[in-house]
Amino acid sequence: MEKADVKRMFKKCRNEKCFHDSEMSKCLRNLQAQGDTNEPDHASGPHTVRDQMSNSSSITEFLLLAFADTRELQLLHFWLFLGIYLAALLGNGLIITTIACDHHLHTPMYFFLLNLSLLDLGSTSTTLPKAMDNSLWDNRDISYSGCAAQVFIFVFLITVEFSLLTIMSYDCYVAICKPLHYETLLGSRACVHMAAAAWGTGLLNSLLHTANIFSMLFCQGNAVDQFFCEIPQILKLSCSHSYLREVGFIMFSACLGFGCFVFIVVSYVQILRAVLRIPSEQGQHKAFSTCLPHLAVVSLFVSTGTFAYLKPPSVSSPSLDLVVSFLYSVVPPTVNPLIYSMRNQELKETLKKLIQSLFLSTINLPMSLQK
């Protein structure tokens, strides 16, 4: 059965108002049983209608985007991704260790920063290891269940991260604009509730998208034009009207994300207005050097993520999609430790003391063993 014949049969089922996946499958089975007499019979060919139906609805693996055709460029991509991954692991790991080990940093700001570092570790570990594996071993495949798990975890983590960035902007706003009410508005219980709400929102959003996407029929092949399983690229493989429902879910999520972005921008505008009232130029410079990088990272994350999910098909190309996805999925988790933490003097001093204590304990351990 030629691919054109299969598409014709799907079109015929759509004309019969078979919009849901279960209705589509039933219609295709009926057409196969009837022999679809409107066209020449291809049952004796190498592929039957049942084979094509099985391929469209029971894909066992997907093929991810190959970065390069030559072995040298593949190894170059591997070392590049490895360097980025190790930098993200080191930066976020140091933040997590420092905050967890020093009770002086057990405050709302550092509590949210700890959560952010955990999310950044998770998001880079969801996408980069598989990309490194594919580049190193010249492999493109990812199993169906592996792709579903990657979509679920990635959507979960980026949803929680954006919610957490919104909460952190509110924390910064209260600390600068309403310092007298800080303890009341951001007590320990309120912080836990806000963090739990962010994680819960991410879980529900991820379940919604993953369950809807992987209940679809796929008849446009199994090649995903991205280095990880990304929702817009998987939707291109769909042949059922369920993709319209997923587009609706994406639009709804985008509206919520836009609302959070507006809240973040308004919060930082209020912060900058308060900073301009500070008589000390040194204080103004410190506040600007902290707030503006925060806003730059959030803007990069939102703009590239929005473009990746809402761009029209006419402006889509493999190279452009790759760059945009890299900017929102890999760059923010890697630079967040520098933007949010390494400019923080208190955190740097605590980290320095922690490293010194570990170094001294390492030197003293052999001496104690000799005694």
Side-chain angles (χ1 to χ4, degrees), residues 93-315:
L94 286 175
I95 292 172
I96 294 170
T97 304
T98 304
I99 295 175
C101 293
D102 193 338
H103 68 278
H104 293 100
L105 299 180
H106 294 177
T107 61
M109 180 180 72
Y110 293 110
F111 170 73
F112 295 131
L113 187 57
L114 175 67
N115 279 263
L116 183 66
S117 295
L118 288 171
L119 293 168
D120 288 339
L121 275 179
S123 61
T124 52
S125 298
T126 302
T127 57
L128 288 183
K130 183 59 181 174
M132 289 188 293
D133 176 76
N134 289 352
S135 296
L136 181 62
W137 301 111
D138 191 18
N139 185 31
R140 293 178 57 194
D141 64 281
I142 181 172
S143 66
Y144 185 91
S145 58
C147 187
Q150 197 174 59
V151 168
F152 174 80
I153 297 172
F154 184 73
V155 173
F156 168 64
L157 292 174
I158 63 170
T159 303
V160 179
E161 177 158 349
F162 193 51
S163 302
L164 203 62
L165 290 173
T166 306
I167 296 171
M168 292 175 71
S169 69
Y170 175 70
D171 171 71
C172 190
Y173 164 76
V174 174
I176 294 178
C177 300
K178 297 185 177 182
L180 298 179
H181 302 281
Y182 188 82
E183 294 294 334
T184 304
L185 296 175
L186 287 164
S188 58
R189 180 173 295 183
C191 291
V192 171
H193 288 170
M194 285 189 285
W199 287 85
T201 301
L203 179 62
L204 291 175
N205 187 52
S206 183
L207 282 172
L208 183 70
H209 287 285
T210 307
N212 184 62
I213 288 173
F214 290 94
S215 63
M216 296 179 183
L217 294 172
F218 299 108
C219 64
Q220 304 296 328
N222 65 340
V224 179
D225 292 332
Q226 195 53 267
F227 71 97
F228 66 98
C229 287
E230 188 184 47
I231 290 178
Q233 302 301 327
I234 297 176
L235 286 180
K236 293 180 181 180
L237 308 179
S238 173
C239 56
S240 65
H241 278 258
S242 295
Y243 84 92
L244 295 176
R245 186 169 62 232
E246 177 60 24
V247 170
F249 290 154
I250 291 176
M251 293 296 294
F252 178 73
S253 299
C255 290
L256 293 180
F258 180 74
C260 290
F261 180 66
V262 170
F263 181 87
I264 292 172
V265 172
V266 171
S267 298
Y268 278 113
V269 167
Q270 295 297 322
I271 291 169
L272 294 176
R273 289 179 59 186
V275 167
L276 290 175
R277 301 192 191 102
I278 299 176
S280 170
E281 290 187 4
Q282 184 178 1
Q284 289 183 1
H285 175 73
K286 182 179 179 181
F288 275 115
S289 64
T290 303
C291 293
L292 292 181
H294 292 189
L295 193 57
V297 171
V298 173
S299 300
L300 175 67
F301 179 72
V302 173
S303 59
T304 53
T306 301
F307 184 79
Y309 280 79
L310 300 181
K311 68 180 181 300
S314 59
V315 298

Side-chain angles (χ1 to χ4, degrees), residues 1 21 68 93 108 133 141 176 203 280 333-334 339 344-345 351-352:
M1 174 65 69
D21 293 342
D133 176 76
D141 64 281
I176 294 178
L203 179 62
S280 170
T334 306
I339 297 298
N344 187 307
Q345 192 63 33
L351 179 60
K352 183 179 179 180

Side-chain angles (χ1 to χ4, degrees), residues 6-19 23-31 241:
V6 178
K7 288 186 176 181
R8 173 182 50 75
M9 295 181 66
F10 276 108
K11 184 176 180 181
K12 186 173 182 179
C13 288
R14 287 178 179 175
N15 292 337
E16 295 178 9
K17 308 300 182 182
C18 297
F19 294 148
E23 296 174 345
M24 180 71 74
S25 299
K26 184 177 180 181
C27 176
L28 288 171
R29 285 194 295 269
N30 291 337
L31 284 177
H241 278 258

Side-chain angles (χ1 to χ4, degrees), residues 27-79:
C27 176
L28 288 171
R29 285 194 295 269
N30 291 337
L31 284 177
Q32 191 272 340
Q34 295 168 6
D36 193 30
T37 57
N38 292 333
E39 293 290 333
D41 186 10
H42 298 277
S44 60
H47 300 289
T48 65
V49 176
R50 187 174 297 277
D51 293 332
Q52 295 291 338
M53 288 168 53
S54 177
N55 289 336
S56 68
S57 59
S58 302
I59 292 176
T60 59
E61 66 178 19
F62 292 94
L63 298 178
L64 299 177
L65 181 67
F67 288 101
D69 297 328
T70 62
R71 188 60 184 154
E72 292 77 11
L73 288 178
Q74 289 175 344
L75 292 176
L76 178 63
H77 283 113
F78 166 76
W79 289 111

